[in-house]
Amino acid sequence: MKLLAYIVAYPLLWLISVLPFPLLYLLSDIVFVLVYYVIGYRRKTVRQNLSLTLRHLNDAERKVVERKFYRHFCDNFLEMVKTMSISEKEIKKRFVFENLDLVHELEGMGKSVAVLCGHYASYEWLLYMNTVLTSHKGYGIYKTINNPYFDRLVRRIRLKFKAELVDMKEAVSLIRKNQKNHIPGFYGFLTDQSTKIWRVPYWGSFFGMEVPMHVGAELLAKKMDMNVLFVITRKVKRGHYSARFIPFDRDPREVPNYEIVDTFMKILENQILKEPEYYLWTHKRFKHRRNDPPTA
């Protein structure tokens, strides 16, 4: 059944990927109507997340954010599909890194780097970063897709950006192996989503609520003596993004546990408050929380 789903879907995805951008976004507008108005995909989850986090907005203002989010959500999905055929010249025009000198400076230090990012703006195209590394190899830590055929497709798509995907269960052994063989790498971690409730090592603050946090990137940076970078991606306009790197300018081994995660989550929260429509609100980020948001 999984193979059949892949056989049916792949030709359609390829045809979508070769559409010129104006037609791609016309299709996105149509998909938006279906996803938002007809199907109502995860609309209950999105509304609950917005009511928990954007408490300074009234219902009408949150509804505006909601519609803008779904438009961006559809754009983001089709941009990921577009990656199947996009050229490096085209992606270079559409995704700009603001301070690559910082990345190259860290490469020059010879140590591996843990890169913390969130599900904001274009986290898929952020993998283009691997094409601009000069000496380090780039890895994206991710959760394997249940359908093995689509999982291989996603891996192939992201290999266009020279990004090797590593399942989170295999990440520790890979990093240890690379360290042993003196192979420095940039390891990208999506740090902002909820972790399994039965293995929560730390509850941190996000929008005033105590929620379970992913701390693997921080703990690995401490244990493996890696530098730490935060990445903040911004949507400039439709189909165009920029990314800025923020260094954690202290030795990770010398700061209290979870300070790195707390610092990143606060940076991300501030960015979301400025332009909330570009965050991935369909995930049940606040399903597990120790408290309700403050009322004032």
Side-chain angles (χ1 to χ4, degrees), residues 15-182:
L15 286 174
I16 292 172
S17 79
V18 297
L19 289 175
F21 273 98
L23 289 181
L24 187 80
Y25 289 124
L26 177 60
L27 176 60
S28 181
D29 291 339
I30 297 170
V31 172
F32 161 71
V33 173
L34 294 173
V35 169
Y36 183 66
Y37 290 104
V38 179
I39 301 171
Y41 175 72
R42 294 199 176 185
R43 197 158 57 188
K44 182 178 178 180
T45 297
V46 171
R47 286 182 178 172
Q48 182 182 37
N49 285 340
L50 293 178
S51 67
L52 286 169
T53 56
L54 305 183
R55 302 180 297 276
H56 58 291
L57 302 181
N58 59 39
D59 289 343
E61 290 168 332
R62 284 196 292 267
K63 186 67 72 68
V64 171
V65 173
E66 177 182 298
R67 286 194 292 269
K68 286 182 177 180
F69 158 71
Y70 274 98
R71 287 190 179 278
H72 169 70
F73 178 75
C74 295
D75 280 1
N76 210 12
F77 173 74
L78 291 177
E79 286 165 358
M80 182 186 70
V81 175
K82 181 67 176 176
T83 309
M84 295 174 68
S85 63
I86 197 169
S87 67
E88 187 170 333
K89 180 181 178 181
E90 184 70 33
I91 194 71
K92 188 175 182 180
K93 285 195 310 183
R94 292 177 173 272
F95 199 104
V96 175
F97 294 100
E98 295 179 0
N99 54 343
L100 274 178
D101 54 325
L102 176 59
V103 172
H104 297 151
E105 179 183 336
L106 290 181
E107 283 187 288
M109 296 173 68
K111 294 167 62 173
S112 290
V113 181
V115 184
L116 279 64
C117 55
H119 288 81
Y120 190 88
S122 181
Y123 46 91
E124 290 289 342
W125 282 3
L126 182 60
L127 288 168
Y128 171 60
M129 174 182 173
N130 295 281
T131 65
V132 297
L133 297 176
T134 58
S135 61
H136 286 35
K137 183 173 176 58
Y139 300 87
I141 312 302
Y142 87 120
K143 184 178 180 180
T144 300
I145 299 171
N146 288 332
N147 187 316
Y149 306 101
F150 281 106
D151 187 70
R152 283 199 291 270
L153 174 61
V154 168
R155 285 174 178 264
R156 283 207 309 272
I157 290 173
R158 289 165 178 172
L159 277 172
K160 284 178 64 72
F161 298 152
K162 303 177 183 179
E164 182 175 333
L165 294 186
V166 181
D167 185 87
M168 57 181 65
K169 296 176 183 177
E170 303 168 357
V172 175
S173 59
L174 171 74
I175 295 171
R176 282 176 176 164
K177 179 182 176 182
N178 283 348
Q179 294 285 83
K180 182 179 179 180
N181 294 324
H182 307 289

